[in-house]
Amino acid sequence: MKDKTFYILLALIFVIGTGITIGMFIHGCKLFQTISIVELISNWS
Amino acid sequence: MNKKKLVKQLAAILALIMLFVGLDVGIYQLFIKRVTSHRSPAMQKQMIVVSDYVPFTGAPGVFSCDTAERIEGDIPTIDGATALLPLYAGFVESVYPEGSVIFNGEAYEEESAMHYTNTLGAYKDLVDGKADIILCAQPSDEQLAYAAEHGVEFEMTRIGSDAFVFIVNPSNTVDDITLDDVRGIYSGKINNWKELGGKNREIAAMQRVKNSGSQTALEKVMGDVPIAKDYTTLFGSPIGFSYRYYVTGLLAEDKVKILKINGVEPTPETIADGSYPISGGVYAISRKGDTNENVRKVKDFMLSPEGQKIVEQSGYIPIA
Protein backbone atom coordinates (compact mmCIF):
# COMPACT_ATOMS: atom_id res chain seq x y z
CA MET A 1 0.00 0.00 0.00
CA LYS A 2 1.34 3.38 -0.91
CA ASP A 3 2.01 5.72 2.01
CA LYS A 4 -0.47 8.26 0.63
CA THR A 5 -3.22 5.63 0.38
CA PHE A 6 -2.43 4.41 3.89
CA TYR A 7 -2.66 7.88 5.41
CA ILE A 8 -5.86 8.66 3.53
CA LEU A 9 -7.38 5.44 4.84
CA LEU A 10 -6.28 6.21 8.39
CA ALA A 11 -7.69 9.72 8.16
CA LEU A 12 -10.97 8.40 6.76
CA ILE A 13 -11.34 5.84 9.54
CA PHE A 14 -10.47 8.48 12.11
CA VAL A 15 -13.05 10.93 10.79
CA ILE A 16 -15.81 8.33 10.48
CA GLY A 17 -14.98 6.80 13.89
CA THR A 18 -14.91 10.16 15.61
CA GLY A 19 -18.20 11.12 13.95
CA ILE A 20 -19.93 7.93 15.11
CA THR A 21 -18.55 8.29 18.65
CA ILE A 22 -19.58 11.92 18.97
CA GLY A 23 -22.97 11.11 17.43
CA MET A 24 -23.56 8.32 19.95
CA PHE A 25 -22.55 10.61 22.79
CA ILE A 26 -24.91 13.39 21.67
CA HIS A 27 -27.71 10.84 21.22
CA GLY A 28 -27.07 9.54 24.75
CA CYS A 29 -27.12 13.06 26.19
CA LYS A 30 -30.50 13.72 24.54
CA LEU A 31 -31.91 10.47 25.94
CA PHE A 32 -30.51 11.29 29.37
CA GLN A 33 -32.56 14.48 29.47
CA THR A 34 -35.84 12.64 28.89
CA ILE A 35 -35.47 9.56 31.06
CA SER A 36 -36.72 9.47 34.65
CA ILE A 37 -34.39 8.55 37.50
CA VAL A 38 -36.62 5.56 38.23
CA GLU A 39 -36.21 4.11 34.76
CA LEU A 40 -32.53 4.97 34.61
CA ILE A 41 -31.99 2.95 37.77
CA SER A 42 -34.05 0.05 36.42
CA ASN A 43 -31.80 -0.01 33.32
CA TRP A 44 -28.58 0.30 35.32
CA SER A 45 -27.61 -3.13 36.58
CA MET B 1 6.08 -4.21 -2.30
CA ASN B 2 7.48 -4.60 1.18
CA LYS B 3 5.30 -7.28 2.77
CA LYS B 4 6.43 -6.39 6.26
CA LYS B 5 5.40 -2.78 5.73
CA LEU B 6 1.98 -3.83 4.42
CA VAL B 7 1.36 -5.98 7.49
CA LYS B 8 2.28 -3.04 9.71
CA GLN B 9 -0.06 -0.74 7.81
CA LEU B 10 -2.94 -3.21 8.00
CA ALA B 11 -2.27 -3.71 11.71
CA ALA B 12 -2.40 0.05 12.25
CA ILE B 13 -5.69 0.31 10.36
CA LEU B 14 -7.15 -2.61 12.31
CA ALA B 15 -5.94 -1.13 15.61
CA LEU B 16 -7.61 2.19 14.83
CA ILE B 17 -10.86 0.46 13.88
CA MET B 18 -10.73 -1.64 17.07
CA LEU B 19 -10.08 1.49 19.12
CA PHE B 20 -13.25 3.12 17.84
CA VAL B 21 -15.27 -0.09 18.14
CA GLY B 22 -14.12 -0.45 21.76
CA LEU B 23 -14.95 3.16 22.49
CA ASP B 24 -18.41 2.89 20.94
CA VAL B 25 -19.21 -0.40 22.68
CA GLY B 26 -18.16 1.23 25.95
CA ILE B 27 -20.36 4.26 25.32
CA TYR B 28 -23.26 1.98 24.45
CA GLN B 29 -22.89 -0.32 27.46
CA LEU B 30 -22.16 2.38 30.04
CA PHE B 31 -24.32 5.19 28.72
CA ILE B 32 -26.77 4.62 25.85
CA LYS B 33 -28.15 1.34 27.23
CA ARG B 34 -28.84 2.95 30.60
CA VAL B 35 -30.60 6.01 29.25
CA THR B 36 -32.73 4.29 26.61
CA SER B 37 -36.32 4.20 27.77
CA HIS B 38 -38.40 1.09 27.27
CA ARG B 39 -41.51 3.25 27.31
CA SER B 40 -43.35 4.75 24.37
CA PRO B 41 -42.32 8.30 23.36
CA ALA B 42 -45.58 9.65 24.82
CA MET B 43 -44.98 7.96 28.17
CA GLN B 44 -41.36 9.01 28.14
CA LYS B 45 -42.37 12.63 27.68
CA GLN B 46 -45.07 12.60 30.30
CA MET B 47 -43.60 9.85 32.51
CA ILE B 48 -47.15 8.63 33.06
CA VAL B 49 -50.07 8.16 30.69
CA VAL B 50 -51.95 11.41 31.23
CA SER B 51 -55.03 10.22 29.36
CA ASP B 52 -55.54 7.55 32.07
CA TYR B 53 -56.29 10.37 34.50
CA VAL B 54 -58.56 12.78 32.63
CA PRO B 55 -61.71 13.53 34.66
CA PHE B 56 -65.18 12.98 33.14
CA THR B 57 -63.90 10.60 30.45
CA GLY B 58 -64.29 7.30 32.29
CA ALA B 59 -60.49 7.15 32.51
CA PRO B 60 -59.37 4.06 34.44
CA GLY B 61 -57.07 5.88 36.86
CA VAL B 62 -59.68 8.29 38.22
CA PHE B 63 -61.58 7.38 41.40
CA SER B 64 -64.36 9.76 42.32
CA CYS B 65 -67.48 10.15 44.38
CA ASP B 66 -70.78 10.70 42.59
CA THR B 67 -72.79 11.92 45.59
CA ALA B 68 -70.82 15.05 46.46
CA GLU B 69 -72.24 18.51 45.87
CA ARG B 70 -70.69 20.20 42.84
CA ILE B 71 -69.27 23.69 43.12
CA GLU B 72 -70.72 26.53 41.07
CA GLY B 73 -69.67 30.05 40.17
CA ASP B 74 -65.99 30.98 40.47
CA ILE B 75 -64.29 27.63 39.83
CA PRO B 76 -60.78 27.45 41.33
CA THR B 77 -58.02 26.23 39.04
CA ILE B 78 -56.36 23.12 40.40
CA ASP B 79 -52.90 21.80 39.61
CA GLY B 80 -50.19 19.81 41.31
CA ALA B 81 -47.25 17.45 41.40
CA THR B 82 -46.86 14.81 38.72
CA ALA B 83 -47.02 12.08 41.35
CA LEU B 84 -50.38 13.32 42.65
CA LEU B 85 -52.25 13.54 39.35
CA PRO B 86 -54.71 10.69 40.16
CA LEU B 87 -55.66 12.46 43.34
CA TYR B 88 -56.63 15.84 41.95
CA ALA B 89 -58.23 14.23 38.93
CA GLY B 90 -60.46 12.31 41.36
CA PHE B 91 -61.36 15.42 43.34
CA VAL B 92 -62.15 17.36 40.17
CA GLU B 93 -64.40 14.61 38.84
CA SER B 94 -66.22 14.55 42.19
CA VAL B 95 -66.97 18.23 42.78
CA TYR B 96 -66.16 20.28 39.68
CA PRO B 97 -68.72 20.99 36.94
CA GLU B 98 -68.12 18.70 33.98
CA GLY B 99 -67.54 21.45 31.40
CA SER B 100 -64.80 23.06 33.49
CA VAL B 101 -62.12 20.62 32.36
CA ILE B 102 -60.78 20.99 28.83
CA PHE B 103 -58.28 18.35 27.71
CA ASN B 104 -57.20 18.46 24.06
CA GLY B 105 -55.91 14.90 23.90
CA GLU B 106 -52.38 15.82 24.90
CA ALA B 107 -52.60 18.59 27.47
CA TYR B 108 -55.04 20.73 29.45
CA GLU B 109 -56.07 24.00 27.79
CA GLU B 110 -55.16 27.29 29.47
CA GLU B 111 -58.82 27.99 30.33
CA SER B 112 -59.33 24.53 31.87
CA ALA B 113 -60.05 24.48 35.62
CA MET B 114 -57.60 21.59 35.91
CA HIS B 115 -53.98 21.81 34.81
CA TYR B 116 -51.21 19.26 34.97
CA THR B 117 -47.72 20.65 35.32
CA ASN B 118 -45.42 19.54 38.15
CA THR B 119 -44.29 20.73 41.57
CA LEU B 120 -42.07 23.50 40.20
CA GLY B 121 -44.74 24.86 37.86
CA ALA B 122 -47.59 24.41 40.32
CA TYR B 123 -45.99 26.42 43.13
CA LYS B 124 -45.06 29.19 40.70
CA ASP B 125 -48.57 29.24 39.21
CA LEU B 126 -50.14 29.38 42.68
CA VAL B 127 -48.06 32.44 43.57
CA ASP B 128 -48.66 34.05 40.15
CA GLY B 129 -52.42 33.49 40.43
CA LYS B 130 -52.63 31.02 37.55
CA ALA B 131 -53.66 28.24 39.95
CA ASP B 132 -55.81 28.46 43.09
CA ILE B 133 -55.31 25.06 44.70
CA ILE B 134 -52.30 22.82 44.19
CA LEU B 135 -51.61 19.33 45.48
CA CYS B 136 -47.94 18.93 46.33
CA ALA B 137 -45.43 17.96 48.97
CA GLN B 138 -44.02 20.72 51.18
CA PRO B 139 -42.45 23.70 49.42
CA SER B 140 -38.71 24.26 49.17
CA ASP B 141 -37.04 27.27 50.79
CA GLU B 142 -36.79 28.89 47.33
CA GLN B 143 -40.52 28.40 46.72
CA LEU B 144 -41.32 29.95 50.10
CA ALA B 145 -38.98 32.84 49.30
CA TYR B 146 -40.63 33.34 45.88
CA ALA B 147 -44.04 33.45 47.57
CA ALA B 148 -42.81 35.93 50.20
CA GLU B 149 -41.31 38.17 47.51
CA HIS B 150 -44.74 38.36 45.90
CA GLY B 151 -46.59 38.87 49.16
CA VAL B 152 -48.19 35.43 49.12
CA GLU B 153 -48.52 33.14 52.10
CA PHE B 154 -49.43 29.48 51.63
CA GLU B 155 -52.33 27.86 53.43
CA MET B 156 -51.32 24.23 53.65
CA THR B 157 -53.86 21.51 54.45
CA ARG B 158 -52.57 17.99 54.89
CA ILE B 159 -54.92 15.62 53.08
CA GLY B 160 -52.88 12.42 53.00
CA SER B 161 -49.47 10.83 53.07
CA ASP B 162 -47.06 8.89 50.97
CA ALA B 163 -43.59 7.54 51.60
CA PHE B 164 -40.41 9.12 50.35
CA VAL B 165 -38.43 6.13 49.13
CA PHE B 166 -34.90 5.30 48.02
CA ILE B 167 -34.51 2.98 45.07
CA VAL B 168 -31.71 0.85 43.65
CA ASN B 169 -31.34 -1.63 40.82
CA PRO B 170 -32.52 -5.13 41.84
CA SER B 171 -28.98 -6.44 41.19
CA ASN B 172 -27.81 -4.41 44.19
CA THR B 173 -27.52 -6.76 47.21
CA VAL B 174 -28.25 -4.04 49.75
CA ASP B 175 -31.88 -4.15 50.96
CA ASP B 176 -31.86 -1.97 54.01
CA ILE B 177 -30.15 1.28 54.94
CA THR B 178 -30.50 3.74 57.78
CA LEU B 179 -31.27 7.43 57.65
CA ASP B 180 -27.66 8.08 58.66
CA ASP B 181 -26.55 5.99 55.67
CA VAL B 182 -28.73 8.17 53.41
CA ARG B 183 -27.09 11.28 54.84
CA GLY B 184 -23.67 9.69 54.41
CA ILE B 185 -24.36 8.79 50.78
CA TYR B 186 -25.75 12.15 49.74
CA SER B 187 -23.10 14.12 51.62
CA GLY B 188 -20.42 12.10 49.82
CA LYS B 189 -19.01 10.49 52.98
CA ILE B 190 -20.19 6.99 52.01
CA ASN B 191 -19.26 6.31 48.42
CA ASN B 192 -18.99 2.55 48.05
CA TRP B 193 -21.74 -0.03 48.49
CA LYS B 194 -19.38 -2.34 50.40
CA GLU B 195 -19.50 0.14 53.29
CA LEU B 196 -23.19 -0.78 53.55
CA GLY B 197 -22.68 -4.53 53.21
CA GLY B 198 -23.00 -4.63 49.44
CA LYS B 199 -20.67 -5.28 46.52
CA ASN B 200 -17.45 -3.39 46.01
CA ARG B 201 -18.93 -0.81 43.65
CA GLU B 202 -19.00 2.93 43.83
CA ILE B 203 -22.30 4.59 44.69
CA ALA B 204 -23.76 6.73 41.94
CA ALA B 205 -26.00 9.01 43.98
CA MET B 206 -28.58 10.39 41.57
CA GLN B 207 -30.46 13.60 42.32
CA ARG B 208 -33.32 15.52 40.79
CA VAL B 209 -33.70 19.12 39.72
CA LYS B 210 -33.71 21.80 42.40
CA ASN B 211 -37.21 22.63 43.76
CA SER B 212 -38.80 19.42 42.45
CA GLY B 213 -40.93 17.71 45.10
CA SER B 214 -38.56 14.81 45.67
CA GLN B 215 -35.38 16.93 45.68
CA THR B 216 -36.99 19.13 48.34
CA ALA B 217 -37.86 15.97 50.31
CA LEU B 218 -34.20 14.89 50.11
CA GLU B 219 -33.11 18.29 51.43
CA LYS B 220 -35.49 17.87 54.38
CA VAL B 221 -34.08 14.39 55.10
CA MET B 222 -30.53 15.78 54.98
CA GLY B 223 -31.36 18.61 57.38
CA ASP B 224 -28.18 20.61 58.04
CA VAL B 225 -25.93 18.07 56.31
CA PRO B 226 -24.76 19.58 53.00
CA ILE B 227 -25.64 17.63 49.87
CA ALA B 228 -22.67 16.73 47.70
CA LYS B 229 -22.76 17.76 44.05
CA ASP B 230 -24.75 15.40 41.83
CA TYR B 231 -22.37 12.91 40.31
CA THR B 232 -22.59 9.77 38.26
CA THR B 233 -19.88 7.14 38.34
CA LEU B 234 -19.91 5.12 35.14
CA PHE B 235 -18.83 1.90 36.81
CA GLY B 236 -20.79 2.38 40.00
CA SER B 237 -24.25 1.26 41.03
CA PRO B 238 -26.96 3.89 41.41
CA ILE B 239 -29.29 5.02 44.14
CA GLY B 240 -32.14 7.45 43.56
CA PHE B 241 -35.31 8.58 45.29
CA SER B 242 -38.94 9.18 44.58
CA TYR B 243 -42.35 8.75 46.14
CA ARG B 244 -43.65 5.21 46.77
CA TYR B 245 -46.85 5.42 44.76
CA TYR B 246 -45.15 7.17 41.84
CA VAL B 247 -42.80 4.18 41.51
CA THR B 248 -45.15 1.32 42.30
CA GLY B 249 -48.45 2.74 41.07
CA LEU B 250 -48.09 5.40 38.40
CA LEU B 251 -44.96 4.09 36.69
CA ALA B 252 -45.66 0.50 37.80
CA GLU B 253 -41.90 0.05 37.67
CA ASP B 254 -41.06 -3.43 38.92
CA LYS B 255 -37.41 -3.35 37.85
CA VAL B 256 -36.25 -1.24 40.75
CA LYS B 257 -35.88 -2.21 44.39
CA ILE B 258 -37.25 0.03 47.13
CA LEU B 259 -34.93 0.01 50.13
CA LYS B 260 -36.11 -0.45 53.68
CA ILE B 261 -35.17 2.43 55.93
CA ASN B 262 -34.06 1.53 59.45
CA GLY B 263 -35.40 -1.97 58.73
CA VAL B 264 -38.91 -0.78 57.84
CA GLU B 265 -40.49 -1.34 54.46
CA PRO B 266 -42.72 1.48 53.17
CA THR B 267 -46.19 -0.06 53.10
CA PRO B 268 -49.58 1.61 53.61
CA GLU B 269 -49.54 0.25 57.16
CA THR B 270 -46.04 1.46 58.11
CA ILE B 271 -46.69 4.85 56.52
CA ALA B 272 -50.00 5.22 58.36
CA ASP B 273 -48.64 4.20 61.76
CA GLY B 274 -45.52 6.33 61.31
CA SER B 275 -43.04 3.44 61.70
CA TYR B 276 -41.62 4.13 58.22
CA PRO B 277 -39.42 7.08 59.13
CA ILE B 278 -39.75 9.30 56.06
CA SER B 279 -43.38 9.43 55.13
CA GLY B 280 -44.17 12.65 53.36
CA GLY B 281 -47.32 14.69 53.63
CA VAL B 282 -49.61 15.29 50.68
CA TYR B 283 -50.92 18.84 50.93
CA ALA B 284 -53.68 20.87 49.33
CA ILE B 285 -52.19 24.35 49.17
CA SER B 286 -53.95 27.62 48.47
CA ARG B 287 -53.16 31.30 48.97
CA LYS B 288 -53.89 32.47 52.50
CA GLY B 289 -56.76 34.92 52.43
CA ASP B 290 -58.20 33.72 49.11
CA THR B 291 -61.78 34.99 49.14
CA ASN B 292 -63.11 32.41 46.68
CA GLU B 293 -65.43 30.31 48.82
CA ASN B 294 -65.06 27.40 46.43
CA VAL B 295 -61.42 27.01 47.45
CA ARG B 296 -62.54 26.20 50.98
CA LYS B 297 -65.35 23.95 49.72
CA VAL B 298 -62.96 21.90 47.57
CA LYS B 299 -60.46 21.57 50.42
CA ASP B 300 -63.24 20.61 52.81
CA PHE B 301 -64.30 17.89 50.37
CA MET B 302 -60.73 16.54 50.29
CA LEU B 303 -60.88 16.12 54.08
CA SER B 304 -64.39 14.62 54.10
CA PRO B 305 -64.89 10.83 54.37
CA GLU B 306 -65.67 10.75 50.62
CA GLY B 307 -62.55 12.75 49.82
CA GLN B 308 -60.39 10.56 52.03
CA LYS B 309 -61.81 7.48 50.32
CA ILE B 310 -60.55 8.93 47.02
CA VAL B 311 -57.13 9.42 48.63
CA GLU B 312 -57.08 5.75 49.56
CA GLN B 313 -58.50 4.45 46.27
CA SER B 314 -55.99 6.53 44.33
CA GLY B 315 -53.13 4.73 46.08
CA TYR B 316 -52.15 7.18 48.82
CA ILE B 317 -52.55 7.02 52.57
CA PRO B 318 -55.52 8.91 54.07
CA ILE B 319 -55.01 10.98 57.20
CA ALA B 320 -56.05 9.26 60.41
Side-chain angles (χ1 to χ4, degrees), chain A residues 1-3 6 9-10 13-14 17-18 20-21 24-25 27-29 31-32 34-45, chain B residues 1 5 9 13 16 20 24 27 31-32 34-39 44 47 168-169 206-208 232-233 236 238 240 253 255-256:
Chain A
M1 195 186 305
K2 284 183 184 170
D3 278 357
F6 171 65
L9 260 177
L10 273 191
I13 293 166
F14 187 80
T18 306
I20 292 172
T21 304
M24 280 180 76
F25 192 73
H27 177 59
C29 287
L31 291 174
F32 184 70
T34 60
I35 198 164
S36 71
I37 281 186
V38 177
E39 201 178 358
L40 178 64
I41 289 173
S42 81
N43 288 346
W44 190 336
S45 56
Chain B
M1 183 178 284
K5 188 182 174 189
Q9 287 176 332
I13 289 170
L16 190 60
F20 279 115
D24 293 347
I27 289 175
F31 187 33
I32 307 278
R34 290 173 181 172
V35 296
T36 302
S37 176
H38 55 263
R39 297 169 190 277
Q44 210 175 314
M47 301 304 172
V168 294
N169 187 275
M206 318 286 299
Q207 292 184 43
R208 292 211 52 225
T232 302
T233 59
E253 184 59 75
K255 290 178 187 157
V256 294

